[in-house]
Amino acid sequence: MVLEMKNIRKSFGDVEVLKDISLHVDEGEVVSVIGPSGSGKSTLLRCATFLERVDRGEIRYMDTPAVTTGDDGRAAYVGAAELKQVKRYFGLVFQQFNLFPHYSVLKNVMDAPIHVQKRPKDEVRAEAEALLEKMDLTHRADAYPCQLSGGQQQRVAIARALALKPEILFFDEPTSALDPELTGEVLKVIRQLAEDRMTMVVVTHEMPFARAVSNRVIFMDRGVIVEQGDPEKVFGAPEQERTRQFLRNYQRG
C-alpha cells in the first residue's frame, strides 16, 4: 500500500471540511476523486501532502507513519526530519502550475533533484531531458514559463514532479485553468502515466477521463466519501442517490 489515510478530520474555524475520511491507494492504482465544489476534494489532497495539518486521524506512506493519534486523541505529526523523508514519497501537480518564472523549463525540472535530493547534476540533467522528451517539450527546454502555453506549463509541472521519482503523484484539478484544447494535451500525458503504472490520485472535473483511466473513483460531498468503487459501477450504476443527482446535474451542465 502506497498511501493510507484513516479517520481524517479537518476544520477551518467552525466549519468541518473533512469528516472522518478514510482511504488507501495501492501501488500502480489510479484513483480519481470527483464531487461538487466545496466537497473537500482539494483539502483532502492538501492534507495528504501536508500543506494543511489534519485535526485528527492517521497518515502513512509506504508503511511509514507520518501522522498518528496522540495521547489526547488529536493528530500527532512526526518530527521535521522524519516528515522530510516521508515527503520524498509523493509529488504534487497544482492547478496553477507554480513554476519558477525566472528559471528555464530545464532548470525548473532539474532544480529540486539537485538542491533537495543532492543528486549529481549530470545525472539529473540526463533524466530531466528524457522527461521533457516524454512530455514533447524538448524544443522548449531553454524557454521560460511566460513563453509557454498553459498546457505546456502544466506538462513542465508534471515533469518537475516526476523528476523527484515519487512513489505516488497527486493532481489537484490539473486542467481547471486550461481551455479544452490544452486540457486534452495534459490528459493525454496523465493517460500515458496510467499506462506506465504510475500510482496517482487525481482530483478532477473531467468525468469521461475519470471513467476511462481510473481503477477506482471516489465521490465526495460535504466532507464525506459518499460512494467509491469501479468507475463503470460508479458512473454507470451508482448506488447512492446523491451520486446519481451529481452525475445528472453534471451531464446537464
Side-chain angles (χ1 to χ4, degrees), residues 98-111:
N98 288 12
L99 300 176
F100 294 116
H102 55 296
Y103 285 179
S104 69
V105 164
L106 185 60
K107 190 172 181 182
N108 261 285
V109 177
M110 292 176 61
D111 186 65

Side-chain angles (χ1 to χ4, degrees), residues 6-136:
K6 286 173 135 182
N7 308 119
I8 299 297
R9 292 183 178 273
K10 173 64 180 175
S11 296
F12 293 106
D14 295 331
V15 180
E16 192 173 29
V17 180
L18 299 177
K19 306 171 183 177
D20 201 30
I21 295 274
S22 294
L23 64 87
H24 69 276
V25 183
D26 294 326
E27 184 178 356
E29 191 175 26
V30 180
V31 177
S32 288
V33 185
I34 63 171
S37 297
S39 59
K41 307 184 301 295
S42 291
T43 299
L44 180 64
L45 247 62
R46 291 179 66 82
C47 288
T49 54
F50 313 127
L51 294 173
E52 299 284 357
R53 290 181 70 90
V54 302
D55 300 322
R56 296 177 183 271
E58 300 179 7
I59 302 175
R60 301 172 72 90
Y61 279 93
M62 306 297 292
D63 234 11
T64 302
V67 184
T68 57
T69 301
D71 294 338
D72 59 357
R74 299 185 65 79
Y77 281 72
V78 295
E82 296 97 323
L83 200 60
K84 184 177 179 181
Q85 289 298 316
V86 172
K87 286 180 177 179
R88 291 173 180 251
Y89 289 128
F90 63 79
L92 176 60
V93 179
F94 299 89
Q95 298 178 30
Q96 300 294 339
F97 324 133
N98 288 12
L99 300 176
F100 294 116
H102 55 296
Y103 285 179
S104 69
V105 164
L106 185 60
K107 190 172 181 182
N108 261 285
V109 177
M110 292 176 61
D111 186 65
I114 291 173
H115 293 107
V116 177
Q117 296 182 332
K118 310 298 183 186
R119 291 168 51 204
K121 187 173 181 179
D122 289 346
E123 173 189 304
V124 170
R125 184 185 183 95
E127 291 177 3
E129 289 173 344
L131 282 169
L132 290 179
E133 183 177 1
K134 187 172 185 175
M135 300 293 153
D136 195 22

Side-chain angles (χ1 to χ4, degrees), residues 138-168:
T138 300
H139 62 299
R140 305 300 275 159
D142 296 324
Y144 288 84
C146 65
Q147 298 172 307
L148 306 179
S149 70
Q152 289 172 330
Q153 290 187 63
Q154 193 60 294
R155 282 183 280 150
V156 174
I158 295 170
R160 181 178 63 178
L162 289 170
L164 291 168
K165 299 184 177 181
E167 298 290 338
I168 182 171

